[in-house]
Amino acid sequence: MRDVVVVVLAVAATAVFVWKKRRRQRPPQLKYGTAGFRADAKLLWVAMERVGILAAIRGGGKKATGVMVTASHNPERDNGCKIVDTDGGMLAEAWEGRAEELARAPEAEVRVPRCDDGVVVVGRDTRRHSRGLADRVKRGVARTGARVLDVGVVTTPQLHHCVRELNEGAADASDLFGYYRKLVEAYNRIVPPGTPTVELCVDCAGGVGALAVEKLRGLLNGLELVAVNRVGDVELNRGCGAEFVQKERKPPRNYDPRRRFCCIDGDADRLVYCYGRDFRVLDGDKIAALLASYLGEYCRVGCVQTAYANGASTAYLSTRVDSLATAKTGVKHVHAKAADIMDVGIYFEPNGHGTVLFNNAKSPPERLAPFASLANQCVGDAIADALLVEAVLKLRNWSLEDWDAIYDDLPSRQLKQKIPDRALLVPDEETESRLLHPETLQLAIDDLVSKTPRGRAFVRPSGTEDVVRIYAEAASQPDADALARACQRAVADACGGGGGGGGI
Ligand code: 16G
Ligand code: MG
């Protein structure tokens, strides 16, 4: 009997060894999507080591870069990474192909250069597999000779901040002391002591944002932050958080209509607000409108939206900002355009990703200097954005209802459709709101839109999920729903999608 057990164990151990070896030799063919690699965590072990190597190479052996292990608002079982470039922003697009090649290469083909004086800042979210995956990133960095600066569990914007600080000469930014000090000092310069206190519940989606919220408690003039849906209270991003609330338009878990609420996502780079018993959502478009209308009183403001922006927000902004542009979906696209527009460039996607860029940061108008320190200049930061919103609401003496009333959203609907190959759909390069291919599908959508009062609709392949996204808006909710469903059928007919259709 003992012999049988020994043989079975030996066979199992050999099978695991062979499987692991094969996985190293032929890693999964991952794609660098809208915001980095993202997949079921089990598929990422090899890729993470390669990402560590790539981040060190990108630093050129001199500068700091970063790797954040997170799958943001995705379900707990997924993981991924965001690579942070030397300026603290997202990895330059020209390097994405290289990252893909390296992540997919068989081990025997990987050449590892020396990057002895480089630093790679490694951070992670609260997922249970994030620590192990971060260890793989560190192992990759170590293979190049670069130094690892492990900042542990942090929000994505905090990691971006650390990289930027290091490259701007900070000796060490890993304790995040400078990050919190900057937020608190800037906010308290805008809102004086003695201001009546407002409580703001932050739905943290069960993720890392709760740690940042706790750190800020008791430090802000007239603002008491309360972390709701902390790590362990709920399953990560399930039935809560910015993505759920913005897409489903449903209250997050532990919502209380009597309290003021905002919702962030699993890595704290998205923010939306919500309120009331009839559950109203103030999304990224409304945040952009609030900030643009205030800042526009003091300087020239430009705003960047994506095709998902609600038509009513575009109409509102078009009369209040000095320049209004549309970019492709994804922070890297909107950020780049906003950095190149007017004195102040504001970008927000409706899903809550966004920030305010002070493009002449060395000399913002006196009154706006604290706003320039408060707004994260690297990437959207849910916590910093909540402080910006609260500061402007206080300066205006506005309630959430007052803010909500600045314009009424046009009714809209988002759906998704699975098709055998989403690469069949080729959207335009400028805004991703028209299909260059298949032309017949675009013509069918044009026809549906032309028959819908105040209709607008587009479809685009997702960069983070294996689906095609459908967006429609119209004068009434039934019309928006009908237009979205008709576009979904047109996609399925043109591309052979069977089933797989669904909400958002
Ligand atoms: C990622 C992007 C977000 C974009 C979304 C679109 C970053 C940091 N995040 O979450 O900006 O709105 O993808 O997803 O860039 P989709 O391509 O699946 O529609
Ligand atoms: Mg996120």
Side-chain angles (χ1 to χ4, degrees):
M1 181 63 190
R2 227 178 111 212
D3 290 350
V4 175
V5 171
V6 169
V7 170
V8 169
L9 285 178
V11 169
T14 312
V16 169
F17 176 76
V18 170
W19 176 70
K20 280 193 169 170
K21 193 167 166 205
R22 189 171 293 165
R23 207 175 49 172
R24 273 184 83 75
Q25 280 164 352
R26 273 194 294 121
Q29 301 298 288
L30 297 175
K31 201 168 156 29
Y32 199 97
T34 317
F37 292 114
R38 215 172 273 188
D40 188 305
K42 292 196 281 296
L43 300 175
L44 287 165
W45 294 97
V46 176
M48 287 300 190
E49 191 167 323
R50 308 291 175 71
V51 161
I53 297 173
L54 181 101
I57 299 175
R58 177 61 183 151
K62 288 191 285 287
K63 293 205 159 178
T65 54
V67 179
M68 176 72 191
V69 177
T70 182
S72 183
H73 58 275
N74 282 38
E76 162 80 39
R77 66 174 177 278
D78 285 353
N79 217 318
C81 67
K82 297 178 177 178
I83 305 178
V84 179
D85 216 321
T86 52
D87 61 358
M90 295 178 73
L91 180 69
E93 255 185 294
W95 278 68
E96 292 181 0
R98 229 169 139 179
E100 239 168 46
E101 264 169 40
L102 201 51
R104 295 170 170 194
E107 180 61 26
E109 288 171 22
V110 176
R111 304 275 164 272
V112 183
R114 297 302 297 175
C115 307
D116 289 321
D117 295 322
V119 182
V120 179
V121 188
V122 181
R124 62 179 197 273
D125 72 9
T126 53
R127 287 173 163 81
R128 63 184 186 286
H129 23 70
S130 291
R131 182 193 286 271
L133 290 171
D135 286 343
R136 302 298 291 235
V137 175
K138 292 197 264 180
R139 193 190 294 185
V141 177
R143 284 176 69 182
T144 70
R147 182 163 69 88
V148 169
L149 181 62
D150 184 349
V151 290
V153 177
V154 289
T155 69
T156 293
Q158 287 175 337
L159 184 99
H160 284 263
H161 168 90
C162 289
V163 172
R164 188 173 168 123
E165 289 290 295
L166 285 177
N167 286 333
E168 287 186 350
D172 182 5
S174 57
D175 60 4
L176 293 173
F177 182 73
Y179 172 87
Y180 290 112
R181 190 182 55 197
K182 201 168 173 193
L183 290 190
V184 171
E185 284 182 1
Y187 175 86
N188 286 346
R189 269 168 70 200
I190 306 171
V191 181
T195 307
T197 297
V198 166
E199 179 203 72
L200 176 65
C201 295
V202 185
D203 158 21
C204 297
V208 57
L211 310 184
V213 167
E214 297 290 350
K215 282 260 192 239
L216 291 169
R217 267 185 83 93
L219 299 177
L220 302 163
N221 293 337
L223 184 62
E224 194 58 82
L225 300 179
V226 179
V228 176
N229 295 335
R230 293 162 306 169
V231 183
D233 291 350
V234 288
E235 188 181 326
L236 185 69
N237 296 321
R238 179 128 187 231
C240 56
E243 168 77 358
F244 170 81
V245 166
Q246 190 256 336
K247 293 277 171 26
E248 304 269 353
R249 304 263 150 180
K250 287 188 190 143
R253 296 182 64 182
N254 299 310
Y255 174 68
D256 179 346
R258 291 163 305 182
R259 299 171 89 185
R260 191 182 182 97
F261 250 83
C262 69
C263 310
I264 67 179
D265 69 334
D267 65 336
D269 61 358
R270 291 185 183 197
L271 170 76
V272 298
Y273 271 69
C274 49
Y275 73 95
R277 286 181 199 285
D278 55 348
F279 198 66
R280 305 266 312 168
V281 176
L282 297 142
D283 63 5
D285 290 340
K286 273 244 157 99
I287 296 175
L290 174 74
L291 300 179
S293 73
Y294 180 79
L295 298 173
E297 290 174 14
Y298 303 95
C299 63
R300 294 186 320 144
V301 167
C303 215
V304 183
Q305 301 189 302
T306 68
Y308 290 105
N310 191 280
S313 76
T314 311
Y316 175 88
L317 284 168
S318 65
T319 59
R320 283 168 181 82
V321 295
D322 301 285
S323 171
L324 184 59
T326 307
K328 284 202 293 188
T329 288
V331 168
K332 59 193 172 205
H333 304 298
V334 275
H335 189 102
K337 260 200 180 160
D340 207 21
I341 204 175
M342 299 294 151
D343 303 334
V344 167
I346 299 178
Y347 70 84
F348 272 88
E349 296 184 286
N351 60 28
H353 258 300
T355 191
V356 181
L357 297 179
F358 286 79
N359 296 331
N360 54 0
K362 301 245 156 32
S363 57
E366 169 100 22
R367 193 182 177 92
L368 299 190
F371 286 90
S373 321
L374 187 49
N376 193 316
Q377 298 299 291
C378 302
V379 77
D381 181 336
I383 305 288
D385 289 341
L387 301 190
L388 282 169
V389 166
E390 292 297 329
V392 171
L393 290 177
K394 279 201 168 18
L395 291 168
R396 290 249 191 257
N397 201 14
W398 275 3
S399 64
L400 296 189
E401 286 85 345
D402 296 330
W403 170 23
D404 195 12
I406 60 178
Y407 65 81
D408 279 330
D409 277 323
L410 270 174
S412 67
R413 176 67 58 205
Q414 277 198 56
L415 298 173
K416 56 187 177 185
Q417 176 69 32
K418 234 177 160 43
I419 61 172
D421 179 10
R422 72 192 199 279
L424 282 177
L425 265 53
V426 184
D428 71 284
E429 262 301 303
E430 196 49 29
T431 61
E432 288 183 330
S433 59
R434 288 193 68 76
L435 290 176
L436 303 179
H437 185 82
E439 260 179 84
T440 45
L441 176 55
Q442 185 56 56
L443 290 174
I445 294 170
D446 289 344
D447 186 47
L448 293 166
V449 167
S450 70
K451 293 178 186 145
T452 308
R454 295 187 76 185
R456 183 170 73 90
F458 66 94
V459 304
R460 61 171 271 281
S462 157
T464 62
E465 264 186 81
D466 193 14
V467 295
V468 172
R469 295 203 192 284
I470 294 127
Y471 177 86
E473 64 185 33
S476 71
Q477 193 61 55
D479 281 352
D481 293 348
L483 180 56
R485 277 196 302 271
C487 291
Q488 185 180 36
R489 276 194 301 275
V491 170
D493 289 348
C495 306
I504 51 146

